Amino acid sequence: KAKMSHVKQVGLLAAGCQPWNKDVCAASGDRFAYCATLAIYIYQLDHRYNEFKLRAIMSEHKKTITAISWCPHNPDVFASASADSLVIIWNVAEQKVVAKLDNTKGIPASLSWCWNAGDAVAFVSHRGPLYIWTISGPDSGVTVHREAHSFLSDISLFRWHPKKKGKVVFGHTDGSLSIFQPGSKNQKHILRPESLEGTDEEDPVTALEWDPLSTDYLLVANLHNGIRLVDSETLSCITTFNFPSAAASVQCLAWVSSAPGMFITGDSQVGVLRIWNVSRTTPIDNFKLKKTGFHGLHVLNSPPKKKSCSSQYPTKNHHTSSTSEAVPPPTLTQNQAFSLPPGHAVCCFMDGGVGLYDMGARKWDFLRDLGHVETIFDCKFKPDNPDLLATASFDGTIKVWDINTLTAVYTSPGNEGVIYSLSWAPGDLNCIAGATSRNGGFIWDVPKGKMITRFSEHGKNGIFCIAWSHKDSKRIATCSSDGFCIIRTIDGKVLHKYKHPAAVFGCDWSQNNKDMIATGCEDKNVRVYYLATSSDQPLKVFTGHTAKVFHVRWSPLREGILCSGSDDGTVRIWDYTQDACINVLSGHTAPVRGLMWNPEIPYLLISGSWDYTIRVWDTRDGTCLDTVYDHGADVYGLTCHPSRPFTMASCSRDSTVRLWSLTPLIHPLQINILADRCWDDIIGNTDRAVESGAPPLLCGKVSRDIKQEVEKLTGNPQGKKLRWFSECFSPPGGSKNLWDLVAVIKGQDDSLLPQNYCKGIMHMKHLIRFRMSKAQELTTVKMSKFGGGIGAPSKEERLKEAAEIHLRLGQIQRYCELMVELGEWDKALSVAPGVSMKYWRKLMQR
């Protein structure tokens, strides 16, 4: 019988799309999928709200995913391949593995369903041969393609012909193509771009797609030589397409099936989407969608259905006026003669961004910007702001997220190798210290966006943990594979070098004594050092683990108590005052990484492990209260913010950050607060709370502060008390908004509403006033020297949004004026009569 899960997932930061391999995004019907390094994310259109929602995360692969391919005849099934020689067939609807092939003889660098061949998937390593895996039926098993092998250049990708059975084309890194079809001569390494003929220069094929309307035509893109339409029968080039600038290079392309002869391409250096028609050698239109280059493109066949607004009348325009005089049709420039294709393009970018772009409406339907594309090793909340969470990743960046909106607000410059650990500066200093695999340590000034200090005392050795002292903000500790734990001041003066017999993986400053620090070492021991003496020997050494110790954590509430996690799969609780191990928590089946004490309930400890689980422990008797299986890979970091003690964040090798609510663990407390029971049933001291079998009591700073504030209030404090406790217990995003609305309904003066009230759900009576000021703000914001930061909207976008608000509020004239400013005369004139005929005439004259 499934037991009630105590820990509830309340948020998820999805990973970005990996930039390493070619075929890492795919689409079918109303779903699209993209690959992070180790997980595949599938989004599906929710028809009720007409928006895409994350449907499933598939994370069976243990090594980098190399390709995915959607089954052409079954929209519920797709195949994926990875660098550990594994091909998996997934069923998305049932969210399970249908079949697995685990010895692919070489890494499957590219894979594709065989068109017109039932259940068969083909895959190929860099030089071939092409293998065909028939998944079911009498002929199931793997066969080798008779001709497609012994290539002279690596294969970058291949494509089956959707209509001609058995016809397949390969694109190579030297720029050539190889074409095979049953019953005709094989063509190997042909059709290299003319400028390469007779040279050894490489110019890889970056994209290949068969023309959906012909049996022989094929679009080929080479990174430097651009795009050609070639005929696979006569082996000749039909059209070479020209780019507006010589610097443009193509990374990906896709046919637009809803518009015959149309295709789109994505540039490799900058995020420019170009729209083409085969009848013209230059693009019809170019949109700059992002600063970073494209990585992948896919057009959704059935675009999301928008509510149709077409009238019931025939829309044929015969260009005749109401009098019988004929009016000549308007002349179209050559570009306007092509309307933009309807359809949605799944766009993946080199920085991990993923979006769905509506080409007809020229807007994003969905954009996930700046996701991590690799393992996230650490996550920490900002000390003075529980809404900001920083993450450190294998991809060499630190990102800062707003957890209410689940969007990235800052990202570090990158290129740091692997970042293993991060630590916020205390208070409101707005800096983060980071630890890297080979570039030492650094301090990053977050708002300024630049590195301000580097620490190089460990040389090229990896630093596994960095910890900024929160009791003495001038001190930073690092520990490294060189066996040293080094304490220095922020300007780089070394105060202590503590030598260990082997690599040091973790360190943690005591929360009660500013001069005490604990370390975890490869020699299986936990050590405690006291900085107020000049000795470089530890005060205490705790032995007991049977494998290396990774992280150590002091209890924030119980003096002298610390825990350690180890590769032996256990967590040990040590009592510094008794020199003893007072409990061993067993249950994880792999090394333990993440460790976190709850800042309010003194016996509550949470651990994360390489067994993909998070466990919640009652350290009084060592029982495991709950096990969470949601992460798809190793769990590395756990963190929570003292002012929101029952919301926890975790990060993992599956490249996600997840937010959890621990409130269900303390239901009795919530009931006591709601029932207005006496303080003794809600708040206690640590000794009382850790007695065996005692009900949960709050012992931390937040609850004490609430009690002090409530006791200051006169009259009936119950409303305020409920509000404060609800904000402390609730996950981010929502509870403050709810209480603001309660206050408005109860007649509170509007001047007392917080600044961010207008960002949430508002009371009806405020709607017009606040929307007005929002529109005002959009039209007056001055662009700063660097623009408005990451992904900030352009001036045009801001004015469009403002105009839209004015129109909704019925301020038609303001809308018209903004449209005129944007040069959109047709839109201004079409609604101007709603102001007055006089105003419309004036606009016509202008």
Side-chain angles (χ1 to χ4, degrees):
K1 185 163 156 278
K3 71 176 177 62
M4 267 284 293
S5 177
H6 288 306
V7 177
K8 187 163 144 241
Q9 187 171 314
V10 291
L12 179 140
L13 290 169
C17 184
Q18 57 149 303
W20 334 116
N21 292 298
K22 288 275 358 148
D23 290 320
V24 289
C25 74
S28 171
D30 56 2
R31 298 192 183 111
F32 69 86
Y34 69 86
C35 305
T37 305
L38 296 163
I40 301 166
Y41 288 77
I42 296 106
Y43 282 80
Q44 186 164 349
L45 181 66
D46 182 332
H47 292 278
R48 287 169 310 177
Y49 303 108
N50 200 37
E51 65 182 25
F52 279 85
K53 300 223 168 119
L54 184 60
R55 168 70 205 267
I57 300 176
M58 308 291 199
S59 52
E60 286 281 307
H61 292 288
K62 303 290 173 279
K63 291 252 176 82
T64 304
I65 296 165
T66 53
I68 55 174
S69 171
W70 219 293
C71 178
H73 51 265
N74 180 351
D76 284 343
V77 174
F78 70 83
S80 61
S82 61
D84 46 5
S85 306
L86 182 64
V87 176
I88 298 181
I89 312 294
W90 299 97
N91 184 312
V92 179
E94 297 168 17
Q95 298 198 19
K96 65 173 202 214
V97 175
V98 185
K100 251 185 189 179
L101 177 68
D102 53 13
N103 178 13
T104 60
K105 308 186 180 62
I107 293 171
S110 189
L111 104 159
S112 166
W113 286 86
C114 305
W115 286 78
N116 315 313
D119 277 341
V121 171
F123 55 89
V124 67
S125 63
H126 293 294
R127 285 280 167 104
L130 180 68
Y131 290 102
I132 294 166
W133 173 31
T134 308
I135 297 149
S136 53
D139 303 329
S140 65
V142 179
T143 54
V144 180
H145 193 285
R146 275 200 291 273
E147 285 95 17
H149 53 77
S150 325
F151 294 106
L152 305 173
S153 166
D154 283 358
I155 295 161
S156 43
L157 71 169
F158 72 98
R159 292 287 182 263
W160 290 102
H161 197 290
K163 301 202 178 64
K164 267 198 167 176
K165 188 167 182 177
K167 185 170 183 176
V168 62
V169 59
F170 294 85
H172 299 279
T173 50
D174 67 354
S176 65
L177 303 177
S178 298
I179 300 169
F180 300 90
Q181 63 174 325
S184 49
K185 185 172 174 285
N186 303 330
Q187 304 294 341
K188 270 194 189 174
H189 300 294
I190 49 164
L191 287 169
R192 280 181 82 195
E194 278 173 19
S195 63
L196 297 178
E197 285 306 336
T199 69
D200 304 342
E201 276 179 57
E202 300 249 308
D203 182 15
V205 174
T206 54
L208 266 185
E209 298 297 338
W210 290 104
D211 181 338
L213 299 176
S214 117
T215 48
D216 305 324
Y217 288 3
L218 173 69
L219 262 185
V220 187
N222 291 70
L223 186 60
H224 305 297
N225 276 284
I227 310 166
R228 296 168 294 155
L229 184 65
V230 299
D231 182 332
S232 62
E233 286 299 306
T234 62
L235 306 183
S236 58
C237 173
I238 299 159
T239 317
T240 301
F241 296 92
N242 303 318
F243 279 84
S245 97
S249 53
V250 187
Q251 183 62 36
C252 46
L253 64 83
W255 288 98
V256 181
S257 54
S258 56
M262 289 269 202
F263 64 94
I264 55 174
T265 61
D267 283 19
S268 64
Q269 303 295 310
V270 182
V272 178
L273 181 72
R274 302 182 194 275
I275 298 186
W276 308 73
N277 189 295
V278 284
S279 62
R280 292 191 46 199
T281 58
T282 53
I284 297 165
D285 219 329
N286 308 288
F287 306 126
K288 183 172 173 189
L289 300 186
K290 253 172 82 77
K291 287 194 181 100
T292 40
F294 268 90
H295 178 60
L297 260 183
H298 221 289
V299 176
L300 281 179
N301 298 340
S302 54
K305 300 281 180 286
K306 288 277 183 278
K307 291 192 183 65
S308 135
C309 347
S310 60
S311 54
Q312 289 80 40
Y313 309 108
T315 50
K316 282 207 188 86
N317 185 349
H318 291 299
H319 299 302
T320 53
S321 60
S322 49
T323 60
S324 58
E325 266 177 278
V327 178
T331 54
L332 294 173
T333 64
Q334 203 190 351
N335 269 4
Q336 286 169 314
F338 294 98
S339 66
L340 285 185
H344 287 70
V346 180
C347 305
C348 303
F349 297 95
M350 291 304 284
D351 66 356
V354 179
L356 190 68
Y357 189 73
D358 181 334
M359 293 181 286
R362 300 189 181 201
K363 69 179 185 36
W364 287 110
D365 265 3
F366 160 94
L367 177 63
R368 250 214 101 261
D369 224 357
L370 291 170
H372 281 298
V373 296
E374 273 278 15
T375 303
I376 303 173
F377 284 118
D378 200 4
C379 57
K380 299 271 177 13
F381 282 104
K382 188 171 192 308
D384 65 329
N385 183 350
D387 291 334
L388 290 183
L389 177 76
T391 52
S393 164
F394 187 93
D395 64 21
T397 62
I398 292 180
K399 297 185 193 299
V400 179
W401 305 83
D402 176 334
I403 58 167
N404 288 304
T405 58
L406 300 178
T407 52
V409 278
Y410 300 103
T411 179
S412 68
N415 214 8
E416 292 290 340
V418 177
I419 303 182
Y420 286 126
S421 167
L422 69 92
S423 182
W424 282 94
D428 57 0
L429 288 173
N430 289 331
C431 288
I432 292 178
T436 73
S437 55
R438 53 167 193 272
N439 290 349
F442 60 79
I443 297 179
W444 169 44
D445 181 321
V446 179
K448 287 197 180 122
K450 58 176 196 242
M451 302 294 173
I452 50 175
T453 310
R454 293 215 173 252
F455 303 124
S456 53
E457 305 90 346
H458 296 286
K460 288 276 174 215
N461 295 299
I463 301 179
F464 296 113
C465 182
I466 191 161
W468 203 315
S469 166
H470 282 212
K471 290 243 181 273
D472 175 354
S473 62
K474 289 195 174 48
R475 299 196 292 203
I476 292 181
T478 51
C479 44
S480 158
S481 56
D482 61 10
F484 281 103
C485 171
I486 296 182
I487 321 283
R488 90 260 307 132
T489 61
I490 44 178
D491 44 23
K493 180 181 166 228
V494 174
L495 304 172
H496 295 275
K497 276 182 93 163
Y498 295 123
K499 173 98 177 94
H500 292 63
V504 197
F505 294 110
C507 62
D508 191 43
W509 293 95
S510 161
Q511 311 213 14
N512 298 307
N513 182 335
K514 74 175 173 55
D515 289 323
M516 217 172 250
I517 193 167
T519 63
C521 178
E522 195 171 1
D523 73 349
K524 312 173 192 175
N525 293 337
V526 175
R527 292 173 174 75
V528 177
Y529 291 91
Y530 188 54
L531 279 69
T533 65
S534 57
S535 160
D536 58 359
Q537 291 305 306
L539 263 181
K540 296 264 162 75
V541 179
F542 293 114
T543 55
H545 280 298
T546 56
K548 75 177 182 210
V549 178
F550 214 85
H551 285 304
V552 282
R553 290 282 181 270
W554 291 95
S555 161
L557 299 170
R558 299 165 67 190
E559 182 99 36
I561 299 288
L562 75 154
C563 67
S564 56
S566 159
D567 280 18
D568 63 17
T570 66
V571 177
R572 283 180 175 255
I573 315 292
W574 312 92
D575 185 338
Y576 175 83
T577 52
Q578 297 178 21
D579 275 3
C581 173
I582 52 173
N583 220 327
V584 180
L585 311 176
S586 306
H588 282 300
T589 56
V592 179
R593 286 300 176 259
L595 280 179
M596 183 193 97
W597 290 98
N598 183 276
E600 282 288 332
I601 309 282
Y603 57 76
L604 213 56
L605 178 70
I606 294 129
S607 60
S609 159
W610 281 8
D611 64 12
Y612 304 7
T613 68
I614 296 171
R615 284 179 178 258
V616 182
W617 306 92
D618 180 334
T619 56
R620 296 174 298 189
D621 54 9
T623 50
C624 177
L625 302 175
D626 193 18
T627 307
V628 183
Y629 295 94
D630 298 38
H631 272 296
D634 319 341
V635 180
Y636 278 103
L638 297 170
T639 179
C640 93
H641 195 280
S643 70
R644 214 186 257 143
F646 298 103
T647 297
M648 167 179 82
S650 63
C651 62
S652 153
R653 190 170 61 94
D654 69 7
S655 317
T656 61
V657 175
R658 296 174 195 239
L659 298 173
W660 311 91
S661 170
L662 306 176
T663 326
L665 297 165
I666 48 158
H667 275 323
L669 265 175
Q670 285 177 295
I671 292 166
N672 287 347
I673 292 165
L674 283 168
D676 210 10
R677 301 277 294 269
C678 69
W679 283 113
D680 277 356
D681 293 342
I682 301 166
I683 290 179
N685 64 18
T686 314
D687 295 343
R688 225 180 92 209
V690 294
E691 280 170 19
S692 171
L697 289 171
L698 301 174
C699 307
K701 182 177 180 322
V702 185
S703 53
R704 279 203 309 276
D705 289 351
I706 293 176
K707 181 181 175 188
Q708 274 176 354
E709 290 302 313
V710 170
E711 283 170 346
K712 285 184 203 162
L713 296 172
T714 50
N716 177 16
Q718 176 67 354
K720 274 274 174 48
K721 176 175 166 185
L722 277 181
R723 171 169 192 161
W724 288 333
F725 273 118
S726 127
E727 286 173 5
C728 154
F729 285 176
S730 303
S735 78
K736 282 192 166 61
N737 195 169
L738 179 69
W739 285 100
D740 289 337
L741 289 170
V742 169
V744 171
I745 292 164
K746 289 178 74 177
Q748 172 189 295
D749 185 351
D750 287 354
S751 63
L752 298 172
L753 285 169
Q755 266 186 320
N756 59 1
Y757 165 69
C758 58
K759 289 200 174 83
I761 295 169
M762 285 181 274
H763 193 275
M764 217 161 67
K765 68 179 188 183
H766 296 137
L767 212 54
I768 290 192
R769 193 177 87 215
F770 277 115
R771 300 298 290 161
M772 279 277 302
S773 65
K774 164 88 171 146
Q776 202 56 44
E777 184 188 324
L778 283 166
T779 44
T780 53
V781 164
K782 294 275 183 285
M783 291 294 276
S784 72
K785 188 167 80 172
F786 300 108
I790 296 172
S794 66
K795 188 173 178 195
E796 283 76 30
E797 288 168 321
R798 286 206 308 272
L799 290 182
K800 265 189 194 148
E801 193 186 336
E804 197 97 330
I805 293 170
H806 283 300
L807 192 59
R808 285 185 175 181
L809 296 175
Q811 293 147 352
I812 301 177
Q813 189 166 344
R814 190 81 193 90
Y815 170 82
C816 293
E817 294 298 332
L818 284 172
M819 282 297 144
V820 168
E821 194 178 326
L822 286 164
E824 306 230 8
W825 285 94
D826 48 345
K827 288 192 175 164
L829 288 165
S830 64
V831 297
V835 182
S836 68
M837 288 309 285
K838 194 173 147 197
Y839 176 67
W840 177 74
R841 281 194 205 96
K842 256 170 76 177
L843 267 192
M844 286 297 279
Q845 283 163 353
R846 277 169 62 184

